[in-house]
Amino acid sequence: MASLRYLWNKRARFPLSSPLFYRAWAKRLLLFPSVLGRNWKRFRLGLKGAEIHPLAEIGLVRIEGHKRNLKVGKLSFLGRVHIALHDEVQIGERVCINDGVEILTASHDLNDPEWKHVKGKITIGDYVWIGTGAMLLPGVNIGKGAVVGARAVVTKDVAPYHVVTGTPASPIHKKRIEELNYNPCEFLAENRAWLIG
């Protein structure tokens, strides 16, 4: 969401002499280095082959492996996330991945005498929320609208709109509503300074 063109075109406008004008521009100038940093990170990942939508937010991510294996959809937010790209990671639209999350696309086969490397693609559907410190293991699919609780370790697929917690992650009785219409990028202070003032 922090593409400079988008923020400029959608910026909240206030009369020049109003206190709101000065307050909004003070916030924008203060937070502008962060906006530039996120844009630069998205641009650099794109140069290395990643497919990241111009309106996705990329925070302080640590990405290892072939960047061409990464796809991030529109209006998705990645905080301080570690991603190991031995295989593909596809992140849908309007996804929120909180700080401390680890996304691992490879491990070792415990039943192999040579302890061979095994890998698996990870797919994260639209409107998924992955809580702080969660870990996704190779080959899992997180269905649309699902929630992965903080510190959960996901070892198998998560059905759409289900909420999973624990180690290994398992569904709890509560299910998420299916009519979702939010943008996780709107909650960032940098974006709010431009869009709301």
Side-chain angles (χ1 to χ4, degrees):
M1 176 144 185
S3 78
L4 298 174
R5 177 176 294 160
Y6 181 88
L7 291 177
W8 180 259
N9 290 336
K10 300 288 184 177
R11 73 188 185 281
R13 300 165 200 257
F14 304 103
L16 181 61
S17 60
S18 73
L20 289 174
F21 175 87
Y22 295 106
R23 185 171 33 175
W25 278 101
K27 286 186 209 175
R28 291 167 184 171
L29 291 173
L30 179 69
L31 297 170
F32 195 65
S34 180
V35 172
L36 283 178
R38 284 201 176 112
N39 274 274
W40 178 244
K41 184 168 288 270
R42 185 175 50 239
F43 176 74
R44 278 188 23 229
L45 287 168
L47 287 178
K48 294 177 181 178
E51 290 181 36
I52 301 174
H53 193 280
L55 298 184
E57 288 285 357
I58 307 299
L60 297 173
V61 296
R62 187 178 83 198
I63 300 173
E64 299 166 347
H66 299 293
K67 308 307 183 272
R68 68 178 178 274
N69 283 333
L70 179 63
K71 295 179 182 167
V72 181
K74 181 179 180 181
L75 301 175
S76 287
F77 168 76
L78 282 69
R80 295 174 191 257
V81 177
H82 172 227
I83 304 174
L85 291 171
H86 299 282
D87 205 328
E88 289 182 50
V89 172
Q90 292 189 346
I91 299 169
E93 295 185 4
R94 297 173 185 256
V95 172
C96 181
I97 303 179
N98 287 20
D99 291 348
V101 170
E102 293 187 76
I103 300 173
L104 308 176
T105 58
S107 186
H108 294 275
D109 186 350
L110 297 176
N111 295 318
D112 186 314
E114 296 179 7
W115 200 47
K116 288 184 182 166
H117 204 233
V118 292
K119 59 184 184 175
K121 174 182 175 179
I122 293 177
T123 304
I124 300 169
D126 298 344
Y127 287 106
V128 168
W129 175 20
I130 301 176
T132 302
M135 180 180 286
L136 307 184
L137 296 182
V140 298
N141 294 300
I142 313 296
K144 180 179 181 179
V147 176
V148 175
R151 306 276 184 248
V153 177
V154 180
T155 60
K156 57 186 177 181
D157 293 354
V158 178
Y161 305 103
H162 279 70
V163 179
V164 297
T165 61
T167 304
S170 56
I172 60 174
H173 296 293
K174 185 178 181 180
K175 210 174 157 190
R176 195 172 190 198
I177 64 166
E178 295 186 16
E179 297 298 322
L180 299 169
N181 186 23
Y182 63 88
N183 172 1
C185 299
E186 285 180 350
F187 298 105
L188 296 173
E190 296 88 339
N191 293 336
R192 292 176 68 81
W194 285 89
L195 303 175
I196 297 172

